[in-house]
Amino acid sequence: MGLDLNLRMVDWERLRAISVEDRIRVLDETMWPADLDDEYLSTYGLAKGWVWPPDQESVWCAEYRFYSTSGSYRPHARAGDAWADMRSLVDTAVREAMDCFLGGLIWDADPAVDPALTGGGFFPPATDRRYPRILLVCPPEVVPGKVHAWQRVEPRLEELRGPFSAECEGWAGRPDTFEEFTALLCEWAEVARETARRGWGLVGLL
C-alpha cells in the first residue's frame, strides 16, 4: 500500500475520442507535461485540492490532491477496511447509503466484479503491465448517485462513531481516529459533488 493515489476527474466525451490504449498515457501527459519548468513543477507538485493542467486549453481533466492525506493510497484502503468492519453495526438506511457512496471508490461489496479490474471497458485491462494499475473507474452516470447517497449519510455521520469505536479504534490498518475517518469521507464527497456538477467521471490510478 506504499503507492500513491492519482485521482482524476475527466470529461468522458473528450476521453472517448482517444484510443483505449492511449487514454492513460494522454491523461498523464496532460496533467504532467514533460516541459514543465522547475519553479512551476515545485509549486504544482505541492498543491492540494483540485489541480488543473498548466496548459489552460486542457480543461477536460483535473487531479484531486487530498488535504487529509500525504498522497498515499494507504489511508483510503484503511478507511475502506474500516467500513467493511463496522457496517454490520450501522442502521440499515445509513449502511445502504454508505455502501452506495463508497462502493467502487474505496470499498467493494464484491471485489470480483470491480470494474477497475477490466478497465471498466474504457481503459486497458489492469493486467496489462505497460500501464499504471487502475484503482477505480467511476463513469459519469454513476457519480450523481454517489452525491445523493452522501446527502443521506452526511446528517447521520455521528451515528457511525459508536460502530467505529467498537470495530476500528486502536486497530492497526484502520484510521487512527473517527475524525480522521470522516475527514477523508468528506473529501470524497467534495470530489463527487464537483465531478457530478460537470457531468464528468472519475479515474483512480496507482
Side-chain angles (χ1 to χ4, degrees), residues 10-120:
V10 184
D11 181 339
W12 237 237
E13 291 306 311
R14 176 66 180 269
L15 199 60
R16 197 184 302 276
I18 302 168
S19 61
V20 172
E21 62 271 16
D22 290 333
R23 286 172 182 166
I24 294 176
R25 176 184 60 78
V26 172
L27 265 177
D28 279 343
E29 291 177 355
T30 300
M31 288 303 309
W32 289 95
D35 58 354
L36 285 178
D37 61 53
D38 291 342
E39 181 179 355
Y40 190 88
L41 188 62
S42 62
T43 303
Y44 187 65
L46 294 173
K48 293 287 188 179
W50 289 110
V51 178
W52 292 86
D55 178 3
Q56 293 304 305
E57 294 184 3
S58 301
V59 293
W60 59 276
C61 64
E63 183 174 326
Y64 188 80
R65 312 268 183 82
F66 287 83
Y67 289 93
S68 58
T69 77
S70 62
S72 169
Y73 176 59
R74 186 183 299 272
H76 305 274
R78 287 179 168 178
D81 289 343
W83 175 242
D85 289 346
M86 63 192 280
R87 59 187 296 276
S88 64
L89 302 181
V90 176
D91 175 80
T92 300
V94 178
R95 181 172 67 248
E96 290 176 352
M98 187 69 89
D99 283 353
C100 178
F101 175 64
L102 294 182
L105 297 180
I106 61 173
W107 172 81
D108 285 294
D110 184 357
V113 297
D114 181 355
L117 296 175
T118 60

Side-chain angles (χ1 to χ4, degrees), residues 58-202:
S58 301
V59 293
W60 59 276
C61 64
E63 183 174 326
Y64 188 80
R65 312 268 183 82
F66 287 83
Y67 289 93
S68 58
T69 77
S70 62
S72 169
Y73 176 59
R74 186 183 299 272
H76 305 274
R78 287 179 168 178
D81 289 343
W83 175 242
D85 289 346
M86 63 192 280
R87 59 187 296 276
S88 64
L89 302 181
V90 176
D91 175 80
T92 300
V94 178
R95 181 172 67 248
E96 290 176 352
M98 187 69 89
D99 283 353
C100 178
F101 175 64
L102 294 182
L105 297 180
I106 61 173
W107 172 81
D108 285 294
D110 184 357
V113 297
D114 181 355
L117 296 175
T118 60
F122 212 70
F123 294 93
T127 53
D128 193 328
R129 296 183 180 276
R130 293 175 298 168
Y131 304 103
R133 177 184 167 192
I134 300 172
L135 174 67
L136 67 93
V137 178
C138 189
E141 62 270 20
V142 174
V143 180
K146 296 195 174 299
V147 175
H148 296 321
W150 178 254
Q151 289 171 344
R152 300 196 302 274
V153 168
E154 186 176 22
R156 301 181 65 177
L157 276 178
E158 190 61 27
E159 294 178 34
L160 302 181
R161 186 180 293 275
F164 180 90
S165 178
E167 294 295 326
C168 309
E169 201 163 47
W171 286 93
R174 300 297 179 266
D176 289 335
T177 66
F178 179 70
E179 287 71 22
E180 179 183 306
F181 174 67
T182 55
L184 189 59
L185 297 188
C186 288
E187 286 205 75
W188 274 104
E190 170 54 32
V191 166
R193 281 192 293 264
E194 180 60 19
T195 306
R197 186 182 72 81
R198 293 176 179 273
W200 290 5
L202 288 167

